[in-house]
């Protein structure tokens, strides 16, 4: 430590801005803990098929959790409390204007409940398969993708949960305890889908000698049509939990699949996934009346829109001297619900068709035709968090890919 020094020659400028840092609250630094329990029932369904039903639950506690320390008081709250216009240097609205930081403790928690079903058929009479289904409901205060403690924002949406806000960041500064403010961020995990189904199968095709088709084939003919097998693996996943982006909610924006409307907007084909905020008169190739019934031309009547007469999220606020100031409210915690609707689902099936040609003792030629994304099903992008529109001109997954291969072993 004796070698540390601070430069003092000449003028040493110091920033007037609050300096960032991350603090660890060691007063109650507990280890992460998890309790889990499960219940399983298995039953045979005939000689080669079995059914398994399971329930799995877990409770996590003492998880890493970010929370706000020394934040800027929101402009609205500052002016309501003091009657004065907020200072030009915004850091003066912090309890200590020299520091800007969040902190980390171990107060986060999560709960998960899962129902699972599996049917398995062992290989018999040319067929083997497995089918799985999982329903999950996972809620947490600190999940931002499953591996971190949060993203450092009091208004995070989508897959990330927000920091535990300070009272000064809640509109009107209600007297809420830390536990009550922590619960504001207890939402559906954006990383765990509600439903997931997957399957795999191996099937001997019914062609060739002794089979349903060509049962009397022999020699070269049987060598060509017999012995083919088909394998497949696939999955269907419901959408991940999502929330809206900018703007404020004044109702439920979600739409069923039957209510979702396709249109041309901004030169691209789009789908209205939820009732968002955009000018419906700019859409073409659509039933205008039906669209405007979901997204009115009057912006103030839309389920999702900014606040204020100018739709700029500024509201008039009277100060102590009687003057009126248009004051932003975006530095308060948004009242919007988080991770409350499911995004687009995903379906994919891969199929392989293959046959082994035995060419003598110890020699084998295997032909395989692989069809990845066999049904060429697009995985749609998430909707825009503000407009609610999906861009149908793009997809997340690759289109159908066909691959042929020969493998000779000896």
């Amino acid at each position: 430590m004796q070698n540390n020094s601070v430069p003092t020659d000449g003028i040493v400028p110091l920033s007037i801005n609050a300096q960032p840092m991350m603090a660890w609250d060691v007063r109650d630094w507990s280890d992460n803990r998890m309790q889990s329990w499960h219940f399983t029932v298995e039953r045979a369904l005939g000689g080669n098929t079995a059914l398994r039903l399971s329930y799995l639950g877990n409770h996590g506690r003492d998880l890493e959790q970010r929370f706000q320390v020394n934040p800027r008081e929101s402009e609205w709250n500052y002016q309501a409390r003091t009657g004065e216009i907020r200072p030009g240097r915004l850091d003066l609205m912090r309890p200590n204007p020299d520091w800007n930081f969040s902190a980390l403790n171990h107060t986060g928690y999560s709960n998960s409940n899962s129902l699972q079903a599996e049917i398995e058929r062992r290989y018999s009479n040319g067929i083997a398969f497995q089918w799985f289904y999982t329903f999950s409901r996972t809620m947490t205060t600190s999940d931002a993708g499953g591996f971190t403690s949060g993203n450092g924002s009091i208004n995070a949406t989508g897959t990330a949960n927000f920091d535990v806000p300070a009272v000064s960041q809640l509109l009107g500064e209600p007297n809420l305890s830390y536990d009550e403010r922590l619960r504001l961020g207890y939402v559906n995990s954006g990383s765990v889908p509600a439903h997931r189904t997957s399957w795999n199968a191996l099937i001997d095709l019914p062609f060739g000698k002794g089979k349903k088709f060509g049962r009397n084939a022999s020699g070269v003919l049987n060598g060509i049509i017999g012995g083919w097998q088909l394998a497949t693996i696939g999955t269907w996943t419901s959408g991940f939990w999502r929330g809206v982006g900018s703007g404020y909610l004044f109702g439920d924006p979600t739409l069923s699949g039957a209510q979702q409307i396709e249109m041309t907007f901004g030169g691209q084909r789009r789908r209205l996934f939820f009732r968002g905020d955009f000018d419906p008169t700019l859409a073409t190739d659509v039933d205008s009346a039906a669209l405007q019934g979901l997204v009115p031309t009057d912006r103030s009547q839309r389920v999702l829109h900014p606040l204020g007469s100018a739709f700029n999220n500024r509201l008039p606020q009277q100060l102590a001297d009687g003057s009126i100031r248009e004051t932003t409210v975006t530095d308060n915690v948004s009242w919007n619900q988080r991770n409350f609707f499911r995004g687009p689902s995903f379906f994919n099936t891969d199929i392989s068709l293959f046959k082994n040609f035995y060419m003598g003792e110890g020699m084998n030629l295997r032909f395989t035709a692989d069809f990845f994304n066999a049904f060429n099903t697009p995985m749609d992008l998430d909707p825009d968090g503000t407009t609610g529109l999906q861009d149908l001109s793009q997809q997340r997954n690759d289109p159908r890919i066909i691959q042929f291969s020969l493998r000779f072993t000896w």
Side-chain angles (χ1 to χ4, degrees), residues 310-342:
F311 302 105
N312 58 359
N313 290 322
R314 292 181 176 273
L315 300 177
Q317 185 178 31
Q318 185 173 6
L319 304 180
D321 62 4
S323 63
I324 303 296
R325 181 174 186 269
E326 292 289 319
T327 304
T328 182
V329 293
T330 57
D331 52 357
N332 293 284
V333 175
S334 170
W335 65 58
N336 290 345
Q337 190 175 357
R338 291 163 173 78
N339 288 2
F340 66 96
F341 71 88
R342 294 198 294 266

Side-chain angles (χ1 to χ4, degrees), residues 329-388:
V329 293
T330 57
D331 52 357
N332 293 284
V333 175
S334 170
W335 65 58
N336 290 345
Q337 190 175 357
R338 291 163 173 78
N339 288 2
F340 66 96
F341 71 88
R342 294 198 294 266
S345 60
F346 169 68
F347 171 83
N348 183 74
T349 297
D350 299 332
I351 297 175
S352 292
L353 180 67
F354 56 94
K355 174 179 170 60
N356 290 294
F357 296 89
Y358 298 100
M359 307 179 69
E361 184 176 355
M363 294 186 295
N364 181 68
L365 179 67
R366 178 187 171 106
F367 169 81
T368 304
D370 295 313
F371 302 84
F372 302 102
N373 187 10
F375 299 109
N376 201 28
T377 305
M379 180 178 177
D380 295 328
L381 302 178
D382 279 334
D384 181 89
T386 299
T387 66

